[in-house]
Amino acid sequence: MPLFRQMIDGYRRFRSSGWAEQRERWDELAAGQSPEVMVIACSDSRVDPTQIFDTRPGEMFVVRNVAALVPPFEEDQAYHGVSAALEFAVTQLEVKELVVMGHGACGGCAAALTDRFKGAPSGEGHFIAHWVDMLDEARERVRRKYPELGPEAVREMELEGVRVSLRNLMTFPWVRERVEDGRLRLHGAYFAIADGILHVLDAESGEFKPA
């Protein structure tokens, strides 16, 4: 794991190579961004969307959080980080594609499946438990199907997380409107850390298939 000093060394390598090599691109980005794709992914350090999709700077608007979850649409005075980013990407940047990408060995989905942090106080899992309770209904479906809670259950929970987020996306009026009139397309994806294979949700069958 890099310490801050090592991160600065990395920055210096980037400044002398990556940034310099793409100077024209960075000059374009200095004037503003216009990505056509938004990706909602997990905060897990092993699943960087820009690396997995091999994109250049400025090509994807990325939001990362525990388990790559999208909350349902709510209008209140609470703080809604994911919803704010979603609103900006969809209504201001007018992205054309929106991808929800789950992944294998997801700690957030495992916590949802096992109720690991249920009832935990702040600082010991309280915020995690409340965040992943978006998966409560999915958890019950998975538990009924896989009562032993083995590897199959964990993977199914990870896939269900993507499906839940896609359903929640459609509760946002301005997302649903754009999907229905064709301005925006939603996609589900799943990256298997163990073998490096990306799976994409097939809209017709509802199953994830290798890309």
Side-chain angles (χ1 to χ4, degrees):
M1 176 179 178
L3 301 177
F4 188 63
R5 187 195 303 186
Q6 293 172 306
M7 293 167 63
I8 295 301
D9 289 341
Y11 153 72
R12 289 173 178 149
R13 290 192 298 273
F14 157 74
R15 187 73 173 79
S16 63
S17 58
W19 184 84
E21 291 170 2
Q22 297 196 64
R23 181 59 188 272
E24 184 177 337
R25 176 64 173 167
W26 288 107
D27 285 345
E28 292 174 7
L29 294 174
Q33 61 170 328
S34 56
E36 296 188 322
V37 177
M38 178 182 190
V39 177
I40 298 172
C42 185
S43 299
D44 193 300
S45 60
R46 299 166 292 180
V47 285
D48 179 1
T50 60
Q51 186 174 35
I52 292 168
F53 293 109
D54 191 25
T55 58
R56 296 189 306 158
E59 289 185 335
M60 297 195 313
F61 186 83
V62 179
V63 171
R64 300 178 70 176
N65 63 53
V66 173
L69 293 175
V70 176
F73 176 72
E74 294 178 311
E75 287 188 311
D76 55 36
Q77 295 306 305
Y79 293 100
H80 296 282
V82 175
S83 301
L86 179 63
E87 184 178 50
F88 181 71
V90 172
T91 70
Q92 305 303 305
L93 295 176
E94 298 184 325
V95 296
K96 297 178 175 62
E97 313 270 354
L98 201 165
V99 181
V100 176
M101 186 181 74
H103 71 93
C106 179
C109 287
L113 180 64
T114 61
D115 275 334
R116 177 183 173 188
F117 296 111
K118 186 176 182 179
S122 177
E124 297 180 22
H126 168 76
F127 289 108
I128 301 169
H130 181 50
W131 180 250
V132 300
D133 70 15
M134 281 185 267
L135 298 176
D136 280 357
E137 290 185 16
R139 179 193 64 222
E140 295 310 312
R141 290 195 297 273
V142 174
R143 283 180 169 180
R144 286 193 297 270
K145 186 175 181 181
Y146 301 104
E148 298 300 320
L149 300 187
E152 300 90 348
V154 175
R155 181 181 172 89
E156 186 67 21
M157 189 78 240
E158 293 161 353
L159 299 178
E160 278 294 300
V162 176
R163 295 185 179 106
V164 167
S165 288
L166 289 171
R167 286 195 292 271
N168 285 347
L169 280 169
M170 291 297 285
T171 67
F172 289 80
W174 24 270
V175 170
R176 184 174 62 251
E177 174 188 340
R178 286 166 172 78
V179 169
E180 291 175 348
D181 67 19
R183 284 179 288 166
L184 178 66
R185 290 181 291 274
L186 305 184
H187 307 277
Y190 174 85
F191 180 74
I193 291 176
D195 57 20
I197 295 177
L198 182 76
H199 296 73
V200 176
L201 181 62
D202 180 75
E204 292 187 5
S205 68
E207 300 298 320
F208 285 82
K209 300 179 180 179

